[in-house]
Amino acid sequence: MADVLKQVPVREQDPEVRAKNFEEVCLGYNQEEAMDEATRCLECKNAKCIAGCPVAINIPDFIREVKKGNIEEAYKVISRSSALPSVCGRVCPQESQCEERCIRGIKGEPVSIGKLERFVGDYALEHDIKPEGAKEKKNHKVAVIGSGPAGITCAGDLAKMGYDVTVFEALHELGGVLVYGIPEFRLPKHKVVAKEIGKVKELGVKFETNVVIGKSVTIDQLIEEEGFEAIFIGSGAGLPMFMGIPGENANGVFSANEYLTRSNLMKAFDSSYDTPLAAGKKVAVVGGGNVAMDAARTALRLGAEVHIVYRRSEEELPARVEEVHHAKEEGIIFNLLTNPKEILVDENGSVKGMRVVKMELGEPDASGRRRPIEIPDSEYEIEVDTVIMSLGTSPNPLIASTTKGLDINRRKCIIAEEENGQTSKAAVFAGGDAVTGAATVILAMGAGKAGAKGIDEYLSNK
Amino acid sequence: MYKIVKAEKLADIIYLMDVHAPRVASHCEPGQFVIVKMDDKGERVPLTICDYDREAGTITIVFQAMGASTTRMAELKEGDSFRDFVGPLGCPSEFVHEDIEELKKKKMLFVAGGVGAAPVYPQVKWLHEHGIEADVIVGSKTKDLLILEKELESVSGNLYITTDDGSYGRSGMVTTVIEDLVKNEGKHYDVCVAIGPMIMMKFVCLLTKKLELPTIVSMNPIMVDGTGMCGACRLQVGDEVKFACVDGPEFDGHLVDFDQAMTRSRMYKTEEGRKALKLQEGDTHHGGCGVCGGDN
């Protein structure tokens, strides 16, 4: 038995090899490794990890089953709380949630809860283990807007309660940010996302793609003309932000959304697909979040030298530590405490460089992070042919602007109660990025669960 | 799947299809567009709506086989299907929301260039159905490339056809016709709507600015999702950056920065050309185009 203070190491693709392919970086545990890691769990009576999980998975319970080798049982424990264990095991920020609270973590490394969840989820996908469906049907129609993490979770929970659920998706593929935003090398689309959504389909949930709510049909029409008795809006935060600096409309400047959508959803990295992507040879990604890391690592795999340009220091990078670590291993260059002032454009209208300024950190601002301040006379130029703006996203106003009586706040987010998703409009519930602004997959899932609970209460008392 | 109920070749590389898409057909208005994706590997191609039949649940699209996906789309027949067909996207033409009586007082001029005749048709038809006769200028390179003449004839007030080479109708550019009508033939217009290639819209706007004729254009930049998510379609309109997919596609033509828009629309010209060529030449394509360096 290895050192109990240390996690069983997880196998990964070699950085030099993976920097040139789109295969998954982390290879995950096999059963032996998973059972070994599971023995490190202390099975705390008052398990703090559960409170750290936005969907409150009974973590010690499922790990106990892994310990015994009962992986199917472990899956049943998780699936009572989460419809997407293979997704969450890969993309949740466990280090600031369940694993941060793990008692093992006080002295040594916490139990690798995320990797164990991933193992259990993948086992269930490989062995086609189905989640438990509803015992009896309820004769109520519910519409879910958006097939991302919030919508899928809400739909799955409602189907398990017996509701007749239809999910409407604007794009041609199901999964929302899981298919257009997060790259293949972090989250495989066919092997994981499509299969996990397949399990939700097996619960009886119906899906309709290519429906843009607010354009193809409105929320009011779904209620008045199509007989839906309750609606859950999980339409995400899709609108990209730009900096508003000169040169931003030049050829070669992308939003991270565009760059990632072309590569992930439209598969531009595979030349057998029609959609092109001018990937760039020397790329600057502006921003420091998970999306910035995804865009940078995608550009790297498409053959570019990639720089992350971020105005604060490494400590303030909003991306997960694991993502920053992987990016560095693969050869992404970090230009920290640096902020763009202007994009330089050649005579053909294409990007030829970027004028940047050096920054230093001052007093903490409203977010609690130290405010970056320009250092006078420190401007200089860097040579790049592509700039990817990864500055965050805001909710699409389309649904709110076409739905009578649905209130939004000044950040264009839909106003909804945290505990049940209730909006200002009767029978309409909302959750995920559409309510909070850009956040994480698991928080959206938590909001989807709350919305399902709210809808159940509403329809039960109707 | 979205079934093609009619497929017709209108002219060289210009195709018309009626597609069964009831959700789109029941909600669309003139000025809006759809995005089609023919199969798993196809691009999301934005196309303006040429006509719609709410009862039959069909949408008429017109496209030019230019890129990799549209070239493959041209081979689709009646009875085949599109994998994806989404819409209506974008905002309807402004006049749809105007007071009909006010609208009747205005004299409107539509200017269509090439396949721009397709998006112009539903607008003129809508006005015709509401008792308003608008004048229409259609410009085409040559007689053989002229499309929708009969359809436009039946809904327009005066229809003026011009060809660049003089093979049919008047001779010369659409701008010449506008100038003739306004300056020499005593016509007065309150609004102009110009839809066609960006270069045509640019020159129409330069002229109508001089003539002090307010002009609306319909922009067709590069798009990916068409719902405001990617920002590929951003345009400089006056001192604002607008997304054609959600803020447009119609804008005040006198405020649009056409030079920037044309530069942006060339972004993938070589990439697209390369893919189209590869498709045409199949396995025999080994870089003879001199652009792509073969399959590297």
Side-chain angles (χ1 to χ4, degrees):
Chain A
M1 180 69 224
D3 184 353
V4 292
L5 295 180
K6 289 218 163 120
Q7 294 176 350
V8 173
V10 68
R11 286 164 292 120
E12 288 179 350
Q13 264 201 86
D14 181 76
E16 273 184 43
V17 175
R18 72 180 193 241
K20 296 185 182 69
N21 69 41
F22 278 84
E23 304 294 315
E24 207 177 358
V25 169
C26 175
L27 302 174
Y29 285 150
N30 59 28
Q31 184 155 344
E32 192 187 336
E33 290 162 338
M35 287 170 70
D36 253 9
E37 179 64 18
T39 59
R40 297 184 62 235
C41 177
L42 299 168
E43 297 183 37
C44 307
K45 276 226 173 67
N46 175 20
K48 301 251 193 278
C49 51
I50 302 177
C53 174
V55 297
I57 293 172
N58 193 328
I59 294 165
D61 256 21
F62 101 74
I63 294 184
R64 186 179 310 117
E65 298 301 336
V66 176
K67 245 184 234 179
K68 291 191 269 182
N70 297 335
I71 314 303
E72 186 163 347
E73 271 316 304
Y75 173 71
K76 282 183 183 156
V77 173
I78 297 178
S79 74
R80 265 173 235 139
S81 310
S82 169
L84 307 169
S86 285
V87 172
C88 290
R90 286 171 167 81
V91 304
C92 261
Q94 293 100 4
E95 68 278 6
S96 59
Q97 294 178 166
C98 52
E99 292 178 16
E100 186 182 47
R101 313 210 183 175
C102 176
I103 301 303
R104 267 277 180 231
I106 297 172
K107 264 193 178 164
E109 291 177 345
V111 176
S112 190
I113 300 168
K115 301 290 186 287
L116 289 174
E117 183 188 22
R118 169 186 160 146
F119 168 73
V120 172
D122 286 3
Y123 181 96
L125 293 182
E126 278 156 29
H127 294 80
D128 201 24
I129 301 164
K130 294 180 177 28
E132 288 166 36
K135 301 224 165 47
E136 54 187 287
K137 296 274 169 224
K138 289 186 178 126
N139 197 22
H140 291 290
K141 271 175 81 179
V142 181
V144 171
I145 317 304
S147 66
I152 288 289
T153 301
C154 184
D157 275 16
L158 288 167
K160 283 184 202 165
M161 295 175 202
Y163 290 99
D164 177 0
V165 186
T166 305
V167 177
F168 295 96
E169 166 58 47
L171 290 172
H172 60 272
E173 295 287 352
L174 299 173
V177 72
L178 306 177
V179 296
Y180 76 74
I182 303 176
E184 182 75 18
F185 56 84
R186 272 215 300 136
L187 184 63
K189 308 300 162 223
H190 284 292
K191 204 179 93 192
V192 176
V193 180
K195 278 196 179 165
E196 289 222 299
I197 292 174
K199 288 200 186 296
V200 178
K201 275 185 195 161
E202 283 167 8
L203 290 170
V205 174
K206 287 165 267 182
F207 288 88
E208 201 180 325
T209 50
N210 299 318
V211 182
V212 181
I213 301 299
K215 291 287 183 191
S216 310
V217 63
T218 63
I219 298 262
D220 292 307
Q221 285 165 334
L222 286 177
I223 295 171
E224 286 155 24
E225 294 167 20
E226 300 197 20
F228 288 99
E229 294 169 73
I231 311 273
F232 177 80
I233 304 169
S235 50
L239 299 194
M241 294 185 210
F242 288 91
M243 292 187 81
I245 57 174
E248 218 168 7
N249 288 348
N251 286 354
V253 182
F254 298 87
S255 70
N257 266 4
E258 181 187 354
Y259 201 88
L260 290 170
T261 299
R262 282 181 184 273
S263 181
N264 300 335
L265 178 70
M266 306 309 295
K267 313 255 181 264
F269 67 85
D270 177 344
S271 66
S272 73
Y273 286 76
D274 288 347
T275 301
L277 170 57
K281 294 270 172 261
K282 200 168 172 192
V283 176
V285 178
V286 181
N290 286 318
V291 175
M293 298 305 140
D294 285 345
R297 296 170 69 198
T298 297
L300 181 93
R301 282 161 173 74
L302 293 168
E305 173 189 312
V306 187
H307 295 251
I308 290 270
V309 175
Y310 179 60
R311 62 194 182 131
R312 301 181 203 245
S313 73
E314 173 145 5
E315 209 175 301
E316 290 83 18
L317 280 170
R320 287 183 67 196
V321 175
E322 182 179 325
E323 301 308 323
V324 176
H325 169 70
H326 279 152
K328 282 187 172 168
E329 269 188 346
E330 290 166 10
I332 306 280
I333 302 154
F334 283 74
N335 298 133
L336 301 169
L337 291 165
T338 306
N339 204 31
K341 296 287 279 182
E342 182 186 357
I343 290 158
L344 308 169
V345 186
D346 70 12
E347 65 282 4
N348 298 318
S350 300
V351 174
K352 66 171 182 186
M354 196 159 72
R355 196 154 53 77
V356 297
V357 63
K358 287 192 176 158
M359 312 291 280
E360 61 187 352
L361 293 179
E363 295 300 308
D365 63 12
S367 74
R369 296 178 299 177
R370 292 174 65 194
R371 187 194 303 272
I373 305 162
E374 287 184 10
I375 300 174
D377 304 318
S378 69
E379 287 184 17
Y380 64 103
E381 290 178 5
I382 56 174
E383 196 189 307
V384 290
D385 59 19
T386 301
V387 177
I388 302 174
M389 292 294 178
S390 180
L391 308 161
T393 53
S394 62
N396 195 324
L398 192 54
I399 290 178
S401 66
T402 55
T403 308
K404 276 174 264 162
L406 186 65
D407 292 346
I408 53 173
N409 64 21
R410 64 184 169 80
R411 287 161 50 230
K412 294 185 187 154
C413 299
I414 297 170
I415 298 170
E417 303 284 343
E418 201 177 324
E419 66 272 17
N420 60 13
Q422 177 67 55
T423 66
S424 59
K425 187 178 172 75
V428 179
F429 298 75
D433 285 4
V435 169
T436 56
T440 62
V441 168
I442 188 67
L443 286 174
M445 288 176 60
K449 281 192 98 60
K453 198 169 131 264
I455 287 174
D456 181 45
E457 279 161 14
Y458 167 75
L459 291 176
S460 304
N461 297 327
K462 205 177 154 185
Chain B
M1 300 293 265
Y2 302 82
K3 200 168 183 180
I4 299 167
V5 297
K6 181 174 135 189
E8 195 184 321
K9 185 169 179 170
L10 294 182
D12 184 40
I13 71 160
I14 305 176
Y15 298 83
L16 176 147
M17 287 176 187
D18 286 351
V19 183
H20 190 245
R23 278 202 190 275
V24 187
S26 64
H27 289 96
C28 68
E29 300 283 0
Q32 291 187 292
F33 67 97
V34 292
I35 284 186
V36 306
K37 188 171 183 295
M38 69 171 286
D39 58 18
D40 195 36
K41 298 197 167 177
E43 281 186 82
R44 290 173 66 91
V45 181
L47 297 169
T48 35
I49 293 168
C50 173
D51 202 358
Y52 49 89
D53 183 334
R54 298 213 199 278
E55 269 177 33
T58 56
I59 296 287
T60 305
I61 53 170
V62 170
F63 62 91
Q64 270 179 299
M66 304 260 295
S69 285
T70 44
T71 305
R72 293 199 294 122
M73 268 162 60
E75 287 163 21
L76 293 174
K77 305 262 177 305
E78 183 183 320
D80 291 343
S81 294
F82 282 95
R83 181 190 188 274
D84 301 287
F85 196 99
V86 60
L89 300 170
C91 303
S93 302
E94 233 173 66
F95 63 72
V96 170
H97 304 297
E98 269 180 68
D99 182 74
I100 290 293
E101 294 312 312
E102 286 300 307
L103 207 54
K104 280 182 177 163
K105 292 178 197 158
K106 286 186 192 167
K107 189 69 191 160
M108 294 180 77
L109 173 67
F110 284 81
V111 181
V115 284
V120 159
Y121 173 66
Q123 302 201 15
V124 179
K125 183 182 172 189
W126 188 97
L127 290 166
H128 175 74
E129 284 169 353
H130 288 79
I132 299 160
E133 303 305 316
D135 284 359
V136 179
I137 301 171
V138 179
S140 174
K141 269 191 190 138
T142 180
K143 188 184 178 207
D144 292 344
L145 290 176
L146 181 68
I147 59 166
L148 303 170
E149 183 188 3
K150 253 192 287 164
E151 288 80 355
L152 279 165
E153 180 105 60
S154 66
V155 294
S156 307
N158 297 304
L159 176 64
Y160 307 97
I161 303 220
T162 183
T163 47
D164 294 2
D165 62 359
S167 55
Y168 188 63
R170 299 182 180 215
S171 177
M173 303 286 177
V174 290
T175 41
T176 315
V177 182
I178 300 173
E179 239 176 337
D180 278 347
L181 291 177
V182 174
K183 286 188 180 163
N184 307 329
E185 297 174 35
K187 298 273 183 185
H188 171 81
Y189 296 104
D190 300 294
V191 185
C192 170
V193 177
I195 310 180
M198 283 203 212
I199 188 82
M200 178 207 94
M201 295 192 284
K202 175 185 168 173
F203 281 100
V204 167
C205 288
L206 285 174
L207 172 65
T208 57
K209 209 169 188 174
K210 269 193 270 172
L211 300 173
E212 294 179 358
L213 172 58
T215 299
I216 293 160
V217 294
S218 179
M219 300 302 284
N220 51 347
I222 292 172
M223 285 185 191
V224 184
D225 64 288
T227 62
M229 210 177 78
C230 80
C233 66
R234 63 193 187 276
L235 303 161
Q236 192 72 40
V237 182
D239 49 17
E240 286 178 288
V241 174
K242 297 276 190 188
F243 287 4
C245 68
V246 287
D247 301 322
E250 298 191 347
F251 295 99
D252 179 342
H254 294 162
L255 295 178
V256 171
D257 182 341
F258 283 103
D259 291 336
Q260 187 190 74
M262 284 188 279
T263 301
R264 286 188 62 77
S265 71
R266 281 197 295 270
M267 176 83 194
Y268 284 101
K269 272 288 181 285
T270 49
E271 278 272 350
E272 263 172 33
R274 171 171 144 178
K275 286 211 166 140
L277 207 60
K278 218 169 133 180
L279 193 78
Q280 276 169 26
E281 301 188 356
D283 291 338
T284 63
H285 179 65
H286 296 294
C289 60
V291 185
C292 70
D295 286 337
N296 299 323

